[in-house]
Amino acid sequence: MTTVKERIEQLRRELEEHNYHYYVLSTPLISDYEFDLKLRELQDLEKQHPEFFDPNSPTQRVGSDISNDFPQQTHLYPMLSLSNTYSEGEVADFYQRVAKSLNEPFELVCELKYDGTSISLVYEQGALVQAITRGDGVKGDVVTENVRTINSIPLRLRGKGYPEKFEIRGEILMPWSVFDDLNKEREQQGEPLFANPRNAASGTLKLQNPAVVASRKLDSYLYYLLGEQLPAEDHYQNLQCAKSWGFKIPDTIRKYQSLEEVFQFIRYWDIERKNLPVATDGIVLKVNSLKQQRNLGYTAKSPRWAIAYKFQAEKALTRLNSVSFQVGRTGTVTPVANLEPVQLSGTLVKRATLHNADVIESLDLHIGDMVYVEKGGEIIPKILGVDKSMRFMVGDKVQFIKYCPVCKTPLVREPDEAAHYCPNETACEPQIKGKIEHFVSRKAMNINAGGETIEQFYNAGLLKNVADLYGINIRDIIHLDRWGEKSARNFVESVRQSKHVPFERVLFALGIRHVGETAAKRLAFAFHTIEALMTADITQLIQTDEIGECIARSVVDYFSNDENKRLIERLQAEGIQFAVSEQAIAEKTTKLNGKTFVISGVFARYSRDEYKKMIELNGGKNTGSVSSKTDYILAGEHMGSAKQEKALKLGVKIIDEDTFLQMIE
Ligand code: IVH
């Protein structure tokens, strides 16, 4: 029997891994639907068991698509997401909730939910001045140059009556036809394929070369106008005005008053969307009147005046031809079903994920079986079950492999984990690349290099482990494809800058199994130097706050590996920080000792993460839900009203960011 705590930890690990695949690598492993189900399960468990709160739980963050390569910019208004439902019943609940709160007649605007990558466009005096990706919702990447290449986005507005300054949001999409052609071309070139048009669109927006972006023929659909002086007091009318200024506003949007009409819209588009040139994954309902929107307000993450209904995934029956095994960044081995190609949700499906050995076992899978596959307008589809009535000649039972398919090392499966993994972390190719990608990522060493760059350097023989990064000079890369003097200089400079990254982040960057950001911080401040950490045994390690046996064992394992020791010596010789700085120790004050905080809402001066850090640095503790133990709620804009009510009831102090900053002055 798994305990609640174990289930919570397992879900957090799984969701973190999926987050990484989705947002960093742009190659998700599961559908949004499955992700949402897991996230919901975790949210529910965390709600029922506040004692297991973790500020770094996947429920505490909005996914981020920030990459290293673009300047970042804080959004004028935070980019929130929508709450999702999959049933008409929940749509009805939403309708009733709104009706009850407003207690007056209201209109709903029904729109298609476009499945691309969201963008915020800022216009001043009728000209496009900035385009920013969603990022973490608070700040995103400035990709204006790339967005200028998208033909359906007006660079100068037509007509008149537009506000002096406003923002318009919408979705950037790659039409199916462009997507199919692009993948065909990539297949011919032997390049990795995009899993779906959404990844292709977001990948394209992040390219360094606007000319290539232009050749990819992206499209846009806009659905949300924001600003101080909007032309109308309702959403629908505002969009019609925006249309007259030259924006591509979908013709499919409708205004309704009854729930019955809303359901008709949903049912119509569930079928008809297959004939659209772009991917859609649901319907969005919005309260039309802006005044009513303001009255309904926001929760911490999403507006109360809108909801997304997601379409159910499509299914198909096809034959299982074989099973292959893939090795991921952390060595996790994922079984993949190779299928007789079948048409599903607009793409030809050839493969499906099988997740792990337990899934194979519970499906009782045999080669040649007829299997049901499902695809949520998404990525690698999933096998739902086997049609055993069609099993005439049973092929071999599918067995999980015993050796790594890349480096042939015997695989390991930890007793409480579902996944098999390859323990050969220093010499198994996908793990080497994955480790480097993790090392350079923003929250680790923040080096200016994405997956493509690492792949390129690896193939050019410049990079075998993370220490090699420090030996690369301008001359090594300037002659490589897509590189020039300026980009080479930037890269080398960002590598040099990473020598200032503090020890706790270096420790995280090493990619020690199970050592996430929080664990790295705890260990760095408990042991102060790498030498002390390297010689610590399990008993000493588990005395650290929040470090359990699993992490402790992994740390000891990591440092008992000679290759890891050599790597650290090399990094030390390069001048990487392997001790907590005097300043960091000095900055650690006791001003907030014993004080427990809950952070809620969106802030103007620093990000939530930065506030969390300040609380920790000053001896305070972050928690997720308000209880009698909470001392302060640090509240920004759009703080959830449930939290507000609870705080009032319990007499917890609510402070704003200025007050907080004074406290730690
Ligand atoms: S409205 C505050 N309308 O879905 C409301 N979003 O989870 C802002 N999306 O990030 C969003 N089609 O990328 C809205 N017609 C539509 C949409 C839409 C797609 C995306 C958008 C957003 C996500 C919400």
Side-chain angles (χ1 to χ4, degrees), residues 81-82 111-114 118 134 171 223-224 284 286 303:
S81 58
L82 295 170
E111 302 172 9
L112 283 166
K113 186 167 187 312
Y114 291 95
S118 44
R134 177 164 188 276
E171 212 76 356
Y223 47 64
Y224 191 23
V284 181
K286 298 173 185 169

Side-chain angles (χ1 to χ4, degrees), residues 518-520 522-523 541-549 551-552 555:
T518 315
R522 298 275 180 226
L523 290 169
L541 287 165
I542 55 176
Q543 273 155 24
T544 313
D545 202 16
E546 284 184 58
I547 303 296
E549 217 176 299
I551 299 180
V555 171

Side-chain angles (χ1 to χ4, degrees), residues 420-436:
H420 282 76
Y421 72 93
C422 165
N424 184 17
E425 44 177 332
T426 52
C428 178
E429 187 178 316
Q431 297 192 61
I432 297 174
K433 290 186 200 161
K435 265 206 151 65
I436 304 174

Side-chain angles (χ1 to χ4, degrees), residues 109-112 236 239-240 249-255 265:
V109 176
C110 291
E111 302 172 9
L112 283 166
Y236 187 87
L239 287 187
Q240 298 318 312
I249 308 289
D251 292 324
T252 48
I253 70 173
R254 295 288 180 273
K255 246 182 339 189
F265 185 88

